[in-house]
Amino acid sequence: MSNKITVLDKGYVRLIEPMGSDLSVVNAARVSFDKESGRIDDRDKRLIQFLAREGHTSPFRHAFASFEIYAPLMVARQWFKYIVGSDHAMDGWNESSRRYITEEPTFYVPGKEEWRSAPENSKQGSGKPVDPLIGNMLMNEMENHIRKGEALYNFAIEQGICAEQARLFLPAYSLYVRWRWTASLQSICHFLNERLASDAQNEITQYAKGVYELVEPHFPESVKALVKQHE
Ligand SMILES: Cc1cc2nc3c(=O)[nH]c(=O)nc-3n(C[C@H](O)[C@H](O)[C@H](O)COP(=O)(O)OP(=O)(O)OC[C@H]3O[C@@H](n4cnc5c(N)ncnc54)[C@H](O)[C@@H]3O)c2cc1C
């Protein structure tokens, strides 16, 4: 299986490194009785279910995974809120910087069938898709808007303005950013539970599906125990 999943028009989520396995969870719990398992058996699976059900969460913090994500800034802002058990609580959230010009600005542009209406229920972020004719018009307008922003950005750079200020001209929410996220298995499953749920924004849910697909094969019993099943 590939360790990289394409998301949205130009984004991706890539599993850099899983650390530990279901066995790390089991053995962290069994140390209380000075016991250690060599391979997962049915008792271990029941133990994982018990730990998750009863909220004995610390054993799930002995396994980690590291990802690289390329996503629009609006998704990064939502992701950044997962603080406990993620590496920016302990060390650093590492993100590409537009203070230094590292690469061409890249933007998320929803396709003509991907524009959603305002929601009927204010607790939901969006409603049904709009007519593709309207979507097409908005897609074209957005491309014009991005071109204009980029032109102003380049103009400011030509005037000798530093990149960290010139970037103010770039449409920010749709700008793609790249970062690395290392988090405990507990924190990853907390993220998945919230962002696979139906009230999460569609775009971050698409990333959460990618994270789920990449992480589940490495920690199948723990993910089954911790992540609620979403449609
Ligand atoms: C659908 C949806 C809509 C949202 N809308 C908004 C919004 O409009 N505005 C906004 O600002 N945010 C919003 N959020 C973000 C939300 O408020 C959380 O910041 C985000 O979901 C991260 O969850 P968390 O705080 O549980 O994560 P973490 O910070 O990773 O915390 C994990 C868990 O650790 C425990 N914990 C964390 N800190 C403490 C503490 N100090 N003391 C004791 N226990 C602690 C809690 O049990 C917590 O659930 C939204 C989230 C969702 C899913």
Side-chain angles (χ1 to χ4, degrees):
M1 196 194 85
S2 166
N3 64 349
K4 185 172 174 182
I5 292 177
T6 305
V7 189
L8 304 182
D9 58 346
K10 307 171 192 88
Y12 63 81
V13 50
R14 179 166 76 88
L15 178 64
I16 300 164
E17 198 179 14
M19 287 162 270
S21 65
D22 285 328
L23 215 47
S24 321
V25 177
V26 166
N27 286 331
R30 292 216 189 282
V31 74
S32 336
F33 296 98
D34 196 18
K35 293 271 182 342
E36 193 169 13
S37 295
R39 51 185 283 274
I40 292 275
D41 61 20
D42 285 345
R43 274 185 68 227
D44 296 326
K45 291 179 188 172
R46 284 197 297 277
L47 174 62
I48 289 176
Q49 287 291 336
F50 166 81
L51 294 169
R53 190 175 64 245
E54 300 301 322
H56 297 303
T57 51
S58 58
F60 296 103
R61 301 198 286 270
H62 289 269
F64 291 82
S66 227
F67 301 89
E68 184 174 274
I69 299 128
Y70 190 52
L73 198 62
M74 67 173 177
V75 170
R77 281 208 67 198
Q78 295 181 352
W79 209 308
F80 190 76
K81 294 293 296 282
Y82 295 87
I83 295 163
V84 175
S86 295
D87 69 353
H88 51 302
M90 301 178 250
D91 191 348
W93 161 287
N94 296 104
E95 186 174 324
S96 59
S97 171
R98 290 221 71 84
R99 285 189 68 196
Y100 325 105
I101 307 168
T102 47
E103 58 185 307
E104 281 296 301
T106 306
F107 299 89
Y108 168 51
V109 182
K112 63 179 180 188
E113 281 162 9
E114 292 170 340
W115 293 83
R116 305 185 293 275
S117 58
E120 283 169 22
N121 172 354
S122 65
K123 293 213 170 80
Q124 293 290 336
S126 52
K128 295 198 172 72
V130 297
D131 184 329
L133 280 175
I134 297 177
N136 196 43
M137 179 187 70
L138 292 173
M139 192 179 80
N140 291 332
E141 286 298 334
M142 189 166 168
E143 279 165 355
N144 289 339
H145 180 61
I146 288 168
R147 268 195 294 274
K148 175 117 196 261
E150 282 183 307
L152 288 167
Y153 170 80
N154 289 327
F155 174 72
I157 295 281
E158 280 159 27
Q159 301 309 305
I161 299 299
C162 54
E164 66 183 10
Q165 280 186 316
R167 65 179 166 169
L168 290 168
F169 284 111
L170 296 174
Y173 273 121
S174 58
L175 180 72
Y176 269 95
V177 290
R178 181 178 287 106
W179 73 94
R180 286 195 175 206
W181 181 55
T182 301
S184 73
L185 187 54
Q186 183 188 357
S187 180
I188 293 166
C189 291
H190 176 53
F191 167 82
L192 290 175
N193 275 321
E194 290 200 340
R195 300 305 176 168
L196 290 173
S198 60
D199 58 354
Q201 181 168 342
N202 172 283
E203 283 81 4
I204 197 167
T205 298
Q206 294 191 44
Y207 281 90
K209 284 179 181 165
V211 169
Y212 181 94
E213 219 173 293
L214 291 168
V215 90
E216 192 275 341
H218 295 280
F219 311 97
E221 296 304 323
S222 303
V223 169
K224 188 161 73 185
L226 287 177
V227 179
K228 294 181 217 109
Q229 292 308 306
H230 299 280
E231 299 246 305

